[in-house]
């Protein structure tokens, strides 16, 4: 009888073990599904961030905020090399610690991580120790994971997450963090083209107006604040003739005087840029096309009748020339 009881108990124990393993497997499956849902949610938030009409730097900061919120990361810092120096693009760490955060590439333990494109986990064993890269700080971070960032095999910087608890990342799923890192790289790669546009925006030498690239960056952000805007392009059609008949100096003065005159007619919220050569673009923010047409027709004659003069350096006399046939065209609603 005793043997029978033992056999029954063994069967029960085996049954419980199988049941617990099954439960554990289901819990793990649930965690994986939950993690995938979180990852998909983060990716979706990233995509929404890319679509926002904000600057590249603002997008990177928003992306870092999403990481901190979704994955409950204590400290997250993204550092990018701009070709001359390392810049902290996004961080929730107090900026008095940024000097050490942008020098990670000089820390010996991270050099191998950068060379091999692999993450590096560092931690301390007790509260009295500090991480090797920390200079003036002791209590803020006690464990960290360093991820080098690459775009098409080109090293561009790093992402580092930190915790104030020793060994806090001992059991973290590094594969999940690798996915996050890849998402960061994807976002940086996506916005690099916008950054290029932002960096080539310049002010025209003669008029002081922004170049056409302004319309695709900061200008677009301002315009998109309105539900409807109207774009107008106008051209000084006889500018080339003025340059040939008189001088390029007079032609330059025509451009500056006309642009100043038009600028004084425009409200502060309108965007006015020199598109190229004799062409200019005005974006009438929040104005319908009918209102713009009336405005242009009203001001066209006064612009075309401007008297642009240039002093003759030989005779020291004022030689007055006239600007004619300033043509407005291509009026359409954004």
């Amino acid at each position: 009888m005793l043997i029978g009881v033992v056999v029954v108990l063994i069967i029960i124990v085996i049954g419980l073990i199988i049941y617990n393993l099954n439960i554990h497997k289901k819990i793990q499956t649930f965690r994986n599904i939950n993690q995938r849902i979180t990852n998909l949610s983060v990716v979706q938030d990233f995509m929404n961030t890319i679509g926002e009409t904000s600057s590249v730097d603002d997008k990177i900061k928003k992306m870092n905020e999403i990481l901190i919120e979704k994955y409950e990361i204590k400290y997250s810092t993204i550092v990018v090399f701009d070709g001359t120096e390392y810049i902290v693009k996004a961080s929730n760490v107090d900026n008095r610690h940024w000097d050490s955060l942008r020098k990670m590439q000089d820390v010996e333990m991270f050099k191998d991580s950068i060379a091999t494109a692999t993450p590096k986990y560092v931690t301390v064993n007790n509260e009295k120790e500090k991480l090797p890269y920390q200079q003036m700080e002791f209590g803020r971070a006690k464990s960290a994971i360093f991820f080098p960032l690459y775009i098409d095999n080109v090293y561009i910087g790093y992402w580092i997450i930190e915790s104030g608890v020793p060994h806090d990342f001992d059991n973290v799923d590094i594969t999940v963090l690798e996915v996050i890192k890849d998402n960061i790289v994807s976002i940086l790669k996506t916005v690099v083209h916008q950054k290029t546009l932002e960096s080539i925006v310049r002010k025209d030498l003669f008029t002081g107006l922004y170049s056409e690239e302004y319309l695709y960056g900061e200008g677009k952000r301002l315009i998109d604040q309105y539900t409807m805007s109207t774009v107008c392009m106008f051209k000084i059609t006889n500018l080339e003739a003025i340059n040939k008949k008189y001088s390029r100096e007079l032609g330059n003065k025509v451009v500056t005087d006309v642009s100043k005159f038009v600028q004084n007619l425009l409200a502060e919220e309108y965007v006015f840029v020199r598109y190229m050569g004799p062409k200019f673009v005005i974006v009438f923010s929040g104005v319908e096309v009918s209102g713009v047409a009336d405005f242009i027709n009203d001001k066209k004659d006064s612009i075309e009748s401007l008297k642009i003069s240039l002093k003759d350096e030989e005779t020291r006399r004022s030689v007055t020339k006239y600007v004619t046939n300033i043509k407005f065209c291509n009026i359409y609603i954004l």
Side-chain angles (χ1 to χ4, degrees), residues 110-128:
F110 296 139
K111 289 182 179 180
D112 183 62
S113 176
I114 294 171
T116 59
T118 56
K120 178 70 175 180
Y121 175 37
V122 294
T123 187
V124 297
N125 294 317
N126 58 68
E127 295 291 338
K128 294 182 180 180

Side-chain angles (χ1 to χ4, degrees), residues 5 13 16 75-76 93 106 134 170 188 247 290 323:
V5 172
V13 170
L16 288 173
Y75 301 111
S76 176
V93 178
D106 297 328
Q134 294 178 316
D170 285 2
L188 292 175
S247 68
S290 57
V323 181

